[in-house]
């Protein structure tokens, strides 16, 4: 592909711009009917104090300079019609998995599988929060609070304050099958907030899948605490109707020899922002985060923002950020990624790449990759490119009898391959690839 470099900076940005007025925040809070009591009460109170100090972000906020937060600040989302026939995402349907169903952000025990599975303890936040103490008490809100420095993340604090349901998952062994969280929609104006807490004990392993349709607007969070030698594989591929507004957050703490691998697939949606904050606190640990984005402006306005922050605090640790976006018909993509290497975090191997393939001249990709390094024995790199279809490769395929539209599909899949390679399981990777090809085929003539 013929790529043009995107201007990058290697400095720590200063957050600027005044927050949204306090009365707007209060209006937002009043519309949410905040929960009270239970083991999360202290964390919620702390998050509310922090949120009032921060305020909601405004368009002049440095970390929202590419994405207008207005629709996330609004008291309620605009209604979105619900398809007459609701069904689960076809992804992973043939997989042997433990299926957990959420409808408009609330757990549906009748539609879900039994929560019993060897090597894992699963509870809902709504039920567990009725008690005063719980194993998740030391995690709920704590990773989010730690992730507020050096950058304010108000919507993450808002999630901690307001989330009523989600899954609390404690992994003590190696479950025989993945856990699959499936979201469904029922109400046209559902404003959904969900919050999952995952604790993987020493040497434990979990594959967590998350798919489906989540409300007219959603604010989701995963807090994942990985003990020594633990391993978490996360794949998110939530369906989105074209008017969808979505915020999602992953906050992870990775201890010595632990591994985090997270991949998110995004298609459709009017406005989507995914934030991932990873703190590598132990030695010989690994954190790979990746994403593939497909956006077509002919379906309606499309704006997708990935904002990533990985901190290295241990010796001999590895991180990868691999993000690929395919944009057409005026779609917009954003990538803000940072690697921070703390003093003493020697032998760090940090890699970051963000690339966009623009299939027309109206689409746009904005990138801000950053490195901040305070150790002298490291290997860190970042890069960001944007470009069009390689005409030479396209000509080659067409000269072999491949129709132009199919040739473009093949080239786009090749472009996305690096991001998909971050999915460890070959079968899961194949299903994601099939989903991408199906979307591209539907849009190849548009």
């Amino acid at each position: 592909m013929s790529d043009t470099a995107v201007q990058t900076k290697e400095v720590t940005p200063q957050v600027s711009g005044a927050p949204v007025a306090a009365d707007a925040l209060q209006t937002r809070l009043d519309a949410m009917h905040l929960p009270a009591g239970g083991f999360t009460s202290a964390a919620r109170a702390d998050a509310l104090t922090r949120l009032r100090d921060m305020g909601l972000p405004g368009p002049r906020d440095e970390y929202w300079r590419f994405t207008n937060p207005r629709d996330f600040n609004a008291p309620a989302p605009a209604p979105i019609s619900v398809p007459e026939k609701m069904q689960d995402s076809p992804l992973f349907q043939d997989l042997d998995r433990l299926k957990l169903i959420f409808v408009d952000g609330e757990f549906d025990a009748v539609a879900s599988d039994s929560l019993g599975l060897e090597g894992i303890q699963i509870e809902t936040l709504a039920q567990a929060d009725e008690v005063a103490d719980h194993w998740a008490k030391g995690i709920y809100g704590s990773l989010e609070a730690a992730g507020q420095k050096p950058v304010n993340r108000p919507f993450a604090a808002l999630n901690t304050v307001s989330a009523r349901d989600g899954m609390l998952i404690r992994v003590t062994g190696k479950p025989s099958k993945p856990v699959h969280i499936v979201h469904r929609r029922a109400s046209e104006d559902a404003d959904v907030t969900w919050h999952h807490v995952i604790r993987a004990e020493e040497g434990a392993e979990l594959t967590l899948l998350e798919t489906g349709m989540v409300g007219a607007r959603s604010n989701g969070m995963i807090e994942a605490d990985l003990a020594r030698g633990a391993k978490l594989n996360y794949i998110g591929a939530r369906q989105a109707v074209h008017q969808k507004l979505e915020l999602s957050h992953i906050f992870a703490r990775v201890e010595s020899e632990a591994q985090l691998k997270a991949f998110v697939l995004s298609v459709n949606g009017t406005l989507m922002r995914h934030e991932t904050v990873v703190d590598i606190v132990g030695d010989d640990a690994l954190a790979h985060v990746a994403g593939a984005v497909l956006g077509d402006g002919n379906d309606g306005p499309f704006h997708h923002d990935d904002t990533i922050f990985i901190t290295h605090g241990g010796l001999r640790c590895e991180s990868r950020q691999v993000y690929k976006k395919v944009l057409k018909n005026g779609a917009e993509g954003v990538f803000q990624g940072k690697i921070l290497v703390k003093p003493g975090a020697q032998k760090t191997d940090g890699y970051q790449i963000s690339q966009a393939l623009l299939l027309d001249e109206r689409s746009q990709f904005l990138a801000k990759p950053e490195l901040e390094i305070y150790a002298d024995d490291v290997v860190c790199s970042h890069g960001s490119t944007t470009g069009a279809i390689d005409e030479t490769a396209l000509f080659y395929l067409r000269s072999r009898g491949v129709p132009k539209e199919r040739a473009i599909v093949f080239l786009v899949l090749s472009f996305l391959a690096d991001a998909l390679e971050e999915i460890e399981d070959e079968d899961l990777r194949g299903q994601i690839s099939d989903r991408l090809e199906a979307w591209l085929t539907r849009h190849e003539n548009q």
Side-chain angles (χ1 to χ4, degrees):
M1 299 179 185
S2 66
D3 295 333
T4 35
V6 174
Q7 184 177 1
T8 65
K9 298 180 180 179
E10 297 188 8
V11 297
T12 303
Q14 299 297 315
V15 177
S16 61
V20 172
D23 56 348
L25 172 58
Q26 189 59 50
T27 301
R28 182 81 161 86
L29 292 170
D30 290 343
M32 304 187 80
H33 308 293
L34 302 180
F39 78 86
T40 63
S41 58
R44 293 183 193 275
D46 174 71
L48 183 57
T49 299
R50 292 186 281 106
L51 179 58
R52 293 194 188 281
D53 289 341
M54 286 184 254
L56 295 175
R60 288 168 43 195
D61 188 303
E62 176 66 24
Y63 270 76
W64 287 86
R65 61 182 298 189
F66 299 133
T67 301
N68 191 331
R70 178 191 60 226
D71 291 335
F72 296 130
N73 290 337
I80 301 176
S81 61
V82 180
E84 292 183 5
K85 183 179 180 181
M86 296 297 298
Q87 59 181 2
D88 295 347
S89 164
L91 272 173
F92 315 133
Q93 291 300 295
D94 298 328
L95 189 70
D96 184 18
R97 66 221 153 95
L98 177 67
K99 185 170 66 174
L100 308 174
I101 305 296
F102 281 79
V103 180
D104 288 344
E106 296 183 1
F107 181 66
D108 186 340
V110 175
S112 301
D113 295 336
S114 169
L115 301 184
L117 183 65
E118 74 284 354
I120 192 170
Q121 175 186 346
I122 304 176
E123 302 168 84
T124 68
L125 174 60
Q127 291 181 334
D129 206 22
E130 296 176 356
V131 300
D133 202 4
H134 194 273
W135 64 261
K137 184 175 182 178
I139 303 174
Y140 184 93
S142 67
L143 303 189
E144 172 265 306
Q148 295 288 351
K149 299 178 180 179
V151 178
N152 289 339
R153 305 178 192 278
F155 292 115
L158 180 63
N159 179 290
T160 297
V161 169
S162 60
R164 289 183 169 274
D165 214 349
M167 300 310 303
L168 308 180
I169 301 175
R170 181 170 175 258
V171 192
T172 57
K174 299 179 180 180
S176 59
K177 52 188 175 183
V179 173
H180 184 190
I181 297 173
V182 180
H183 293 274
R184 294 175 178 169
R185 292 185 59 221
S187 174
E188 291 189 350
D189 59 354
D191 196 4
V192 176
T193 303
W194 51 265
H195 191 124
H196 306 319
V197 176
I198 301 169
R199 168 64 179 176
E201 302 293 352
E202 184 171 345
E205 296 183 10
L206 174 67
T207 295
L208 179 64
L209 313 174
E210 192 162 28
T211 63
M213 307 178 76
V214 193
R217 181 173 67 180
S218 64
N219 181 353
M221 185 186 298
I222 295 174
E223 291 185 286
D225 191 13
L226 308 187
R228 184 183 186 91
K231 186 174 182 180
L232 173 64
N233 290 313
Y234 172 78
I235 299 175
R238 290 179 293 278
Q239 289 174 277
V241 291
H242 304 315
Q243 300 90 346
K244 175 71 165 47
L245 307 174
E246 178 176 297
L247 284 164
S248 68
H249 309 82
I250 297 176
F251 291 91
R253 179 168 56 207
V254 184
E255 298 184 16
S256 295
E257 301 175 22
Q259 296 186 18
L260 169 70
K261 293 190 175 182
F263 173 89
V264 176
L265 170 67
S266 299
V267 297
N268 300 334
T270 296
L271 178 60
M272 307 178 80
R273 178 172 167 118
H274 296 168
E275 296 195 23
T276 302
V277 181
V278 181
D279 190 9
I280 303 175
V281 298
D283 300 335
D284 302 298
L286 175 150
H288 288 194
V289 295
V293 176
L294 301 176
D296 188 342
N298 274 354
D299 294 332
F302 179 92
H303 183 98
H304 188 283
D305 181 335
D306 282 300
T307 295
I308 317 298
F309 195 125
I310 296 182
T311 299
H312 284 262
L315 298 171
R316 301 176 300 276
C317 295
E318 174 184 308
S319 71
R320 289 175 60 86
Q321 302 175 37
V322 183
Y323 285 82
K324 301 291 188 81
K325 299 179 191 280
V326 179
L327 308 170
K328 64 187 298 187
N329 297 317
E332 297 176 347
V334 173
F335 175 82
Q336 300 182 103
K338 182 169 184 174
I339 300 172
L340 170 62
V341 182
K342 290 184 174 181
Q346 306 293 1
K347 304 295 184 182
T348 288
D349 182 355
Y351 174 78
Q352 178 196 98
I353 187 70
S354 60
Q355 295 179 316
L357 183 61
L358 306 184
L359 301 184
D360 73 300
E361 295 182 356
R362 296 186 293 122
S363 296
Q364 186 178 26
F365 178 58
L366 303 169
K368 189 174 69 173
E370 301 176 80
L371 301 176
E372 187 173 346
I373 301 171
Y374 297 98
D376 55 10
D377 186 7
V378 304
V379 177
C380 290
S381 64
H382 69 185
S384 185
T385 61
T386 181
I389 287 287
D390 188 328
E391 293 297 334
T392 301
L394 181 60
F395 175 80
Y396 176 84
L397 290 174
R398 295 190 67 189
S399 68
R400 296 316 190 261
V402 180
K404 181 179 179 180
E405 290 77 12
R406 294 306 299 163
I408 291 175
V409 170
F410 294 152
L411 292 174
V412 170
L413 290 173
S414 176
F415 168 77
L416 295 170
D418 288 346
L420 268 64
E421 283 299 318
E422 296 299 323
I423 302 173
E424 189 172 89
D425 185 280
E426 184 176 348
D427 182 39
L428 298 178
R429 185 168 62 245
Q431 293 196 45
I432 292 288
S433 181
D434 291 344
R435 166 64 66 85
L436 291 170
E437 183 173 1
W439 187 93
L440 291 166
T441 300
R442 289 197 303 271
H443 290 75
E444 64 185 12
N445 293 316
Q446 295 182 7

